[in-house]
Amino acid sequence: MKFSFRIRTGGEVIFLGREHTRTVYYGEPEEHGRWRVDLNVLEKLINDGLRDLHFGGYVDEFYCGLEIADIEGWGNSFIKTRDYISLRPRMRAIVSVAQVDWLVVKDQSLEFQYLILLEQIVDCVERISTAKRKPAGFDASAMAKQMRNVLSQIQLNQINLESTT
């Protein structure tokens, strides 16, 4: 199984170490929190943990549509995608959205941010079993269990943006 993040953020989200590449944010005064989890490294570690595994059906790839934002503050733009799941039979893939509320995590530690992210990723995998259209033979529960196992084995120092920037 191949895993990929598709990341969408609100303008208020600042990634640690990338403050200088940030576009101008208009509106209320800038918040001071930082996102601390290195998503590129995390994606690689998840792929390493899921390599050579198959969870049934035709699905070979899982896209986690990760959204980090002030969910309520942005309104419908983010609220309407909260439970989004899409089958892509031609791509042999599934897309499922995981949302992290920036106001909850912005001033928190790496460990706290990662625990919230872990739960959201596992939840977006589990939700596949509740989708109206789901791939025949795909075992979302087995994938969620394996995903939790892979994510729980990752050491915080491996995904810390402070140490990778």
Side-chain angles (χ1 to χ4, degrees):
M1 174 69 65
K2 184 170 190 269
F3 176 91
S4 299
F5 281 120
R6 295 296 181 255
I7 302 166
R8 182 169 82 130
T9 64
E12 66 279 4
V13 178
I14 306 168
F15 285 78
L16 188 66
R18 295 190 179 87
E19 294 88 344
H20 61 282
T21 62
R22 194 160 179 267
T23 58
V24 176
Y25 175 63
Y26 299 98
E28 294 181 23
E30 191 172 297
E31 300 291 337
H32 294 291
R34 300 290 184 267
W35 182 255
R36 302 174 189 295
V37 179
D38 189 326
L39 297 172
N40 293 321
V41 172
L42 180 59
E43 181 178 273
K44 181 191 175 307
L45 293 170
I46 292 171
N47 273 308
D48 290 347
L50 296 179
R51 183 175 301 140
D52 302 325
L53 295 177
H54 191 71
F55 299 100
Y58 59 79
V59 179
D60 294 329
E61 190 158 5
F62 180 81
Y63 293 98
C64 176
L66 178 60
E67 298 179 339
I68 308 170
D70 172 4
I71 305 296
E72 299 298 322
W74 280 94
N76 264 352
S77 176
F78 284 92
I79 292 171
K80 68 182 178 185
T81 60
R82 183 168 283 150
D83 296 319
Y84 181 82
I85 299 170
S86 176
L87 280 178
R88 308 285 169 93
R90 290 183 183 164
M91 295 171 53
R92 303 178 63 86
I94 297 176
V95 179
S96 184
V97 169
Q99 290 186 335
V100 175
D101 191 333
W102 180 243
L103 298 181
V104 172
V105 300
K106 69 182 181 74
D107 293 317
Q108 301 298 327
S109 67
L110 169 67
E111 181 179 14
F112 183 87
Q113 288 183 356
Y114 183 61
L115 289 174
I116 296 292
L117 180 59
L118 181 153
E119 290 304 320
Q120 291 302 311
I121 292 171
V122 170
D123 181 61
C124 85
V125 173
E126 288 174 337
R127 275 190 292 109
I128 296 168
S129 63
T130 66
K132 291 178 186 173
R133 288 182 47 220
K134 41 189 165 252
F138 183 76
D139 190 349
S141 298
M143 183 178 173
K145 183 177 178 182
Q146 183 62 31
M147 183 68 76
R148 183 176 298 281
N149 185 38
V150 167
L151 291 169
S152 66
Q153 292 178 25
I154 293 172
Q155 302 296 312
L156 291 177
N157 65 338
Q158 294 176 284
I159 57 167
N160 188 348
L161 269 175
E162 277 187 295
S163 62
T164 60
T165 56

